Amino acid sequence: MHKMNSKNKTFIDKLRSSGLRPTNQRVEISKFLFNRKKTFHFTVEELKNSMNLKRSKKISTATFYNTVHALKSAGHLKEFSLENNTSYYDTNIKSHHHFFDNGKVIDIKSDKITFHKLPDAPKGKKIKNVEVVIRLENNN
Amino acid sequence: MHKMNSKNKTFIDKLRSSGLRPTNQRVEISKFLFNRKKTFHFTVEELKNSMNLKRSKKISTATFYNTVHALKSAGHLKEFSLENNTSYYDTNIKSHHHFFDNGKVIDIKSDKITFHKLPDAPKGKKIKNVEVVIRLENNN
DNA sequence: ACATACTTTAGAATAATTATAAAGTAGTTA
DNA sequence: TAACTACTTTATAATTATTCTAAAGTATGT
Ligand SMILES: [Mn+2]
Ligand SMILES: [Mn+2]
Ligand SMILES: [Zn+2]
Ligand SMILES: [Zn+2]
């Protein structure tokens, strides 16, 4: 007997543990999000467009927002922000770092960045996490 | 004869170098933003509300947005994002780090954080800047 | 099958931001 | 200073991302 961590949960388990019945729409969304090798970074609009492109019967905007929101609340997605007014989501829920390259987001594993010096938290506070963004530009 | 860097520009100079005539409204906004000791982090709504609170003749929303946008484009303000769909601005335009503490933003001087290990930029790219966010929570 | 609870959806509502266009103000010229 | 012109401010409309609402659809238990 061994308990399952979020990483090993199937996309159906992730729905269940988010309090969502695995309906057709939700299963397709969850599969699209989690059944892949690499981390996926997306906005709800992007998700909706790429999934609905190939379908005759479209999944509604509200279902995309509701499902993503529930998955996020249950800790299966992480929300982050770029420099515009849109929410991005990350299937990698561990604290980790990113390259930002003209709107493209790439994960950097936590062990690729280590610190020589870090400030103390202000009095009465403690550090929850430390995340780095490395912004890229083209050579020359 | 010595050239002025952005830091030493008066709030009027910052308007001029943003291509904005120093009208009454703009001068008041620029003074409010830049005539202070410490870095100021704000949203346009917050700026508008705090400035208009004490005025009988309100400055319009459009003027706030236009002025902030021009100052940002000229490099006198830096835009950043928290985890919601609102733009924040920073009067500290140098690349630097932040504490995020439940919506409150605090500058960390660049020399307070140094790295032991950093990844190389992907091929064809170079690093523009490296910025750290330290998220805080309350003790216990 | 019936009742009930949960789900999906279209469309309305909201919030942040940007665009439009009319009225106001300033700078320049005669 | 009067007239001319260009720039500015503002109210309001439009847009975008997101959330809400309520009606119609679907699943589950008896
Ligand atoms: Mn926007
Ligand atoms: Mn929002
Ligand atoms: Zn990531
Ligand atoms: Zn700052």
Side-chain angles (χ1 to χ4, degrees):
Chain A
M1 200 205 307
H2 55 94
K3 64 167 162 326
M4 225 170 222
N5 60 31
S6 174
K7 189 78 180 218
N8 295 324
K9 276 186 171 156
T10 69
F11 52 90
I12 305 255
D13 293 330
K14 289 187 191 197
L15 290 173
R16 288 226 167 79
S17 65
S18 305
L20 298 178
R21 275 193 203 157
T23 61
N24 286 339
Q25 290 93 327
R26 289 167 176 173
V27 168
E28 292 203 44
I29 292 170
S30 193
K31 186 174 173 188
F32 187 91
L33 291 178
F34 299 115
N35 240 19
R36 47 176 84 221
K37 293 275 161 44
K38 301 173 64 174
T39 305
F40 185 38
H41 301 97
F42 64 96
T43 68
V44 175
E45 274 300 304
E46 288 167 0
L47 173 66
K48 186 186 82 168
N49 292 336
S50 53
M51 285 194 65
N52 275 343
L53 202 63
K54 34 197 165 211
R55 322 178 95 248
S56 44
K57 176 137 191 7
K58 314 296 187 195
I59 298 173
S60 72
T61 304
T63 294
F64 282 106
Y65 274 101
N66 291 340
T67 305
V68 166
H69 183 258
L71 289 168
K72 184 216 155 186
S73 291
H76 299 304
L77 290 172
K78 207 156 104 74
E79 190 176 3
F80 68 99
S81 257
L82 301 186
E83 257 117 86
N84 58 19
N85 48 4
T86 314
S87 283
Y88 282 75
Y89 296 89
D90 192 332
T91 56
N92 181 357
I93 58 175
K94 298 196 306 282
S95 178
H96 64 285
H97 313 300
H98 289 111
F99 287 122
F100 283 179
D101 181 10
N102 302 295
K104 201 155 66 67
V105 181
I106 304 168
D107 272 7
I108 302 172
K109 288 210 203 71
S110 281
D111 67 344
K112 295 287 179 200
I113 298 182
T114 57
F115 295 91
H116 182 255
K117 200 162 93 181
L118 268 181
D120 292 324
K123 180 165 29 168
K125 304 287 176 176
K126 66 169 191 274
I127 289 175
K128 182 162 33 173
N129 64 54
V130 179
E131 292 186 356
V132 178
V133 169
I134 302 183
R135 245 166 274 267
L136 299 175
E137 60 192 353
N138 292 329
N139 270 332
N140 290 325
Chain B
M1 199 207 310
H2 56 93
K3 64 167 163 325
M4 228 170 220
N5 59 30
S6 174
K7 189 79 179 218
N8 295 325
K9 275 186 172 158
T10 69
F11 53 89
I12 306 254
D13 293 329
K14 289 186 192 200
L15 290 173
R16 289 226 166 78
S17 65
S18 306
L20 299 178
R21 274 193 204 157
T23 61
N24 286 340
Q25 291 93 326
R26 289 166 175 172
V27 167
E28 292 202 44
I29 292 170
S30 193
K31 186 174 174 188
F32 188 91
L33 292 178
F34 299 115
N35 241 20
R36 47 177 82 220
K37 292 274 160 45
K38 301 173 65 176
T39 303
F40 184 38
H41 301 99
F42 64 96
T43 67
V44 174
E45 273 301 302
E46 288 167 1
L47 174 65
K48 186 187 81 169
N49 292 337
S50 53
M51 286 195 64
N52 274 345
L53 202 64
K54 35 198 162 208
R55 322 177 94 249
S56 44
K57 179 138 189 8
K58 315 295 187 197
I59 298 172
S60 74
T61 304
T63 295
F64 282 106
Y65 274 101
N66 290 341
T67 305
V68 166
H69 184 257
L71 289 167
K72 184 216 155 187
S73 291
H76 299 305
L77 290 172
K78 207 155 103 76
E79 190 177 3
F80 67 100
S81 255
L82 301 186
E83 257 114 85
N84 59 19
N85 48 2
T86 314
S87 284
Y88 282 75
Y89 296 90
D90 192 331
T91 56
N92 181 357
I93 57 174
K94 298 196 306 282
S95 178
H96 64 285
H97 313 301
H98 289 111
F99 286 121
F100 284 179
D101 181 10
N102 303 294
K104 202 154 65 65
V105 181
I106 304 167
D107 273 6
I108 301 172
K109 287 210 205 70
S110 280
D111 66 345
K112 296 287 179 200
I113 298 183
T114 56
F115 295 91
H116 182 253
K117 200 161 92 179
L118 268 181
D120 292 324
K123 180 166 27 166
K125 304 288 177 176
K126 65 170 192 271
I127 290 175
K128 181 162 35 176
N129 65 55
V130 178
E131 292 187 354
V132 179
V133 169
I134 302 183
R135 245 166 274 266
L136 299 175
E137 60 193 351
N138 292 329
N139 269 332
N140 291 325

